[in-house]
Amino acid sequence: FSSTHSDQDAWYKNNNPTFSWEKEGGVTDFSYSFDQDSTGIPDNISEGNSASVSYGDIKDGLWYFHVKAKKALIWGGASHYLVRIDTTPPALFMATIEPSLRTIESQPLAFFFTTDALSGISHYELKYIDLTPESKTEDAGFFTEVSSPYKLPSFKIGKYLIVVRAYDIAENWRE
């Protein structure tokens, strides 16, 4: 099991996994490996008798932890644990506003789309900030989950900043 990557079906942006396993009575040694081979088998060389190990700064992708135990001078079968690591935010993207916010149209549409190479896109969030001199800077808005195209609220004539964030399934984001 993993205290840092508890769900083998989930993507994590944490690239420092820790693994632990139960030590059965009579077990004297463990052999383990961590790689990108789903069918990997640890060698028959002991890594010691500790029932946990941590790895750091692991690259993005699908990784497999393999462990086996030695008892009564015989190595047992290997157990496998999948870890999905995605530390990279979604691809660069630009939101477009139609018609332009410089027109007299009070409810323009925001269009946006991006991709994510590993875990995929989870959702988008949008906020708008009124930049007109009369507006209060503390009224900068808040992010709301949206989908594209998104009909912006009615605006008074002025200047606005529209911020769109794309989140991937591992919770990395880009705006």
Side-chain angles (χ1 to χ4, degrees):
F1 63 92
S2 175
S3 59
T4 58
H5 297 72
S6 59
D7 183 351
Q8 294 183 69
D9 294 325
W11 285 90
Y12 294 87
K13 64 181 176 181
N14 176 354
N15 64 346
N16 301 301
T18 296
F19 303 97
S20 301
W21 53 92
E22 292 184 17
K23 183 177 180 181
E24 183 180 304
V27 169
T28 58
D29 299 283
F30 293 102
S31 180
Y32 48 83
S33 59
F34 188 57
D35 56 38
Q36 294 187 291
D37 179 2
S38 64
T39 62
I41 303 289
D43 58 25
N44 291 338
I45 299 171
S46 174
E47 312 293 340
N49 63 3
S50 175
S52 68
V53 66
S54 295
Y55 295 92
D57 202 25
I58 302 302
K59 293 186 291 186
D60 287 0
L62 299 177
W63 291 84
Y64 299 88
F65 178 71
H66 318 281
V67 63
K68 65 182 179 178
K70 184 177 182 183
K71 183 177 182 180
L73 302 176
I74 298 173
W75 286 103
S79 295
H80 311 277
Y81 194 93
L82 171 63
V83 172
R84 300 166 189 260
I85 297 175
D86 178 3
T87 62
T88 306
L92 289 171
F93 71 102
M94 286 290 277
T96 58
I97 310 298
E98 294 179 12
S100 167
L101 289 180
R102 296 177 187 207
T103 70
I104 59 171
E105 172 64 39
S106 63
Q107 276 193 288
L109 293 173
F111 296 89
F112 41 88
F113 175 80
T114 190
T115 59
D116 185 76
L118 287 171
S119 62
I121 297 297
S122 168
H123 67 280
Y124 296 91
E125 293 182 358
L126 179 144
K127 79 173 180 176
Y128 57 91
I129 303 167
D130 187 348
L131 298 177
T132 54
E134 304 82 41
S135 73
K136 297 179 181 174
T137 56
E138 64 269 7
D139 186 24
F142 55 90
F143 281 100
T144 304
E145 189 170 332
V146 297
S147 57
S148 181
Y150 176 72
K151 189 170 191 174
L152 292 160
S154 293
F155 287 129
K156 296 180 227 165
I157 295 192
K159 186 175 179 181
Y160 298 87
L161 173 65
I162 308 300
V163 182
V164 178
R165 281 187 182 166
Y167 285 83
D168 68 16
I169 293 170
E171 299 179 0
N172 301 296
W173 57 271
R174 181 176 306 273
E175 61 180 38

